[in-house]
Amino acid sequence: PSQTLTAPAPFADETSCQCQAPHEKLTIAQARLGTPVDRPVRVYADGIFDLFHSGHARALMQAKTLFPNSYLLVGVCSDDLTHKFKGFTVMNETERYEALRHCRYVDEVIRDAPWTLTPEFLEKHKIDFVAHDDIPYSSAGSDDVYKHIKEAGMFVPTQRTEGISTSDIITRIVRDYDVYARRNLQRGYTAKELNVSFINEKKYRFQNQVDKMKEKVKNVEEKSKEFVYKVEEKSHDLIQKWEEKSREFIGNFLELFGPDGAWKQMFQERSGRMLQAFSPRQSPNNSPTRGRSPSRSPSPPWVFNKASPPSSPKAASASLSSMSEGDEDEK
């Protein structure tokens, strides 16, 4: 059983072939139906796999899922073979082997794989099909190193992932060489390890110091902007609260001292009480002491009515006689 999800994939030279049944030649149609039932379909994919990336992983995923029941063997070429036919690699062969061992789709890794597949190699590892992209791969004096595999009906194509490749990654590094050199100098690598000259080292370190100062200035600006924003926000809140309090104060003042305020009503009530205290109201008509009130006492006979003085001596004598008669009646 596959242990790729719990342990690294084994190397082919450290394990025996797991296919115990006679290795009968299969067609692609038979393999797609899931036959034979007594063993998985053995699929082989090879490559350099330098700077292992998502494009490599997707190709291996397609090779693993070509058939319902498959066992994926991955061949990785050695450094000597790769440098001879393709060029220098960033990762050495041991690093490339380990990268493939830890891919979830790989069941077995074949080290020092051949550049061109031979019938002996296919028979040794009991390979049913070879998976690779369908673009002709010209190398080692051949227009397509997989031509004989295709003619034998053992080739199954996969799709390349656009936008990602080892060459693209190397191009990015070469294009931004100064950035990565400065980055590694800042992380503790020496100029000798980076193969950087003395002058370039000083230039890169100076640029790193300038970038640090720029970053500090940027942080100060951001903090100052944040501080100003907070101050503006607080001042806005204070102004809003002051306006609310001022409106409340003005409303209370008008309610107390306005034209119809409580202070005017209170002043009017106190003024009325003071006037009442100084000039009390007259007693009511049904008061028992009204007839004997000093203000209503009869005038003496010798006091004449100022409003209507007597017009003649006869009238005056008549009024005196009437007042004397009234006195007699009271007696």
Side-chain angles (χ1 to χ4, degrees):
S2 176
Q3 296 180 356
T4 55
L5 296 181
T6 58
F11 290 117
D13 54 1
E14 295 178 354
T15 182
S16 59
C17 179
Q18 298 183 11
C19 180
Q20 303 297 332
H23 189 71
E24 299 177 358
K25 187 175 180 60
L26 297 175
T27 64
I28 294 179
Q30 290 174 334
R32 294 190 188 282
L33 293 175
T35 56
V37 295
D38 56 345
R39 67 175 179 86
V41 177
R42 296 174 69 83
V43 180
Y44 177 78
D46 60 355
I48 309 304
F49 301 105
D50 191 21
L51 296 177
F52 189 81
H53 52 75
S54 61
H56 294 142
R58 285 179 59 85
L60 297 176
M61 179 187 69
Q62 294 177 58
K64 176 68 175 177
T65 58
L66 285 170
F67 309 108
N69 184 20
S70 62
Y71 185 86
L72 180 60
L73 301 93
V74 178
V76 184
C77 300
S78 64
D79 286 344
D80 292 338
L81 202 60
T82 303
H83 297 167
K84 179 181 178 181
F85 290 108
K86 189 170 184 178
F88 190 74
T89 58
V90 178
M91 300 169 64
N92 59 44
E93 59 184 27
T94 303
E95 294 170 335
R96 293 185 286 115
Y97 296 154
E98 289 298 321
L100 267 297
R101 291 186 68 196
H102 292 83
C103 178
R104 63 187 298 183
Y105 310 112
V106 179
D107 295 305
E108 188 174 316
V109 175
I110 301 175
R111 293 182 285 194
D112 194 13
W115 199 260
T116 302
L117 301 178
T118 62
E120 293 77 17
F121 180 83
L122 297 174
E123 179 61 29
K124 176 183 177 181
H125 295 282
K126 301 187 182 302
I127 296 171
D128 293 310
F129 299 100
V130 177
H132 200 273
D133 62 82
D134 202 14
I135 301 174
Y137 193 82
S138 60
S139 180
S142 174
D143 295 335
D144 189 0
V145 295
Y146 297 104
K147 182 178 180 180
H148 64 291
I149 303 295
K150 295 176 182 178
E151 292 174 350
M154 297 177 63
F155 186 84
V156 184
T158 58
Q159 299 295 323
R160 291 179 63 89
T161 302
E162 298 297 332
I164 183 68
S165 68
T166 302
S167 299
D168 291 340
I169 297 174
I170 294 175
T171 301
R172 297 178 202 172
I173 297 173
V174 173
R175 181 188 60 200
D176 300 326
Y177 169 78
D178 290 348
V179 175
Y180 293 115
R182 290 167 51 193
R183 170 181 176 270
N184 283 8
L185 281 174
Q186 193 174 5
R187 294 191 175 188
Y189 288 88
T190 63
K192 184 178 180 180
E193 290 174 329
L194 297 173
N195 195 23
V196 174
S197 65
F198 177 80
I199 295 176
N200 285 335
E201 179 190 3
K202 298 303 179 184
K203 181 183 72 173
Y204 293 150
R205 294 192 182 280
F206 177 75
Q207 289 174 344
N208 287 335
Q209 294 297 327
V210 172
D211 289 344
K212 286 183 179 179
M213 291 299 298
K214 288 181 179 179
E215 188 68 23
K216 289 182 179 179
V217 172
K218 183 179 179 181
N219 292 335
V220 171
E221 289 180 352
E222 291 178 354
K223 290 181 179 180
S224 61
K225 288 180 180 178
E226 184 178 358
F227 176 75
V228 171
Y229 175 77
K230 289 183 178 179
V231 170
E232 290 179 352
E233 187 177 6
K234 291 289 185 182
S235 61
H236 179 72
D237 293 339
L238 290 174
I239 292 173
Q240 186 176 3
K241 290 181 180 179
W242 183 84
E243 290 178 350
E244 292 176 357
K245 291 293 184 181
S246 62
R247 285 194 295 267
E248 183 180 355
F249 175 78
I250 293 171
N252 294 335
F253 182 84
L254 293 175
E255 184 179 355
L256 185 61
F257 298 101
D260 298 327
W263 178 261
K264 182 178 181 181
Q265 295 178 1
M266 182 175 63
F267 181 76
Q268 290 177 350
E269 291 178 359
R270 291 188 176 181
S271 300
R273 291 177 183 176
M274 293 177 64
L275 291 173
Q276 185 177 3
F278 285 112
S279 59
R281 295 179 181 179
Q282 297 179 358
S283 301
N285 296 330
N286 55 358
S287 175
T289 60
R290 180 173 176 80
R292 301 180 181 178
S293 176
S295 61
R296 303 293 294 177
S297 59
S299 300
W302 58 85
V303 179
F304 298 99
N305 190 356
K306 294 181 181 180
S308 56
S311 57
S312 62
K314 294 182 178 180
S317 60
S319 62
L320 288 174
S321 61
S322 63
M323 292 177 60
S324 62
E325 291 175 0
D327 290 339
E328 292 178 358
D329 293 336
E330 289 180 3
K331 293 179 181 181

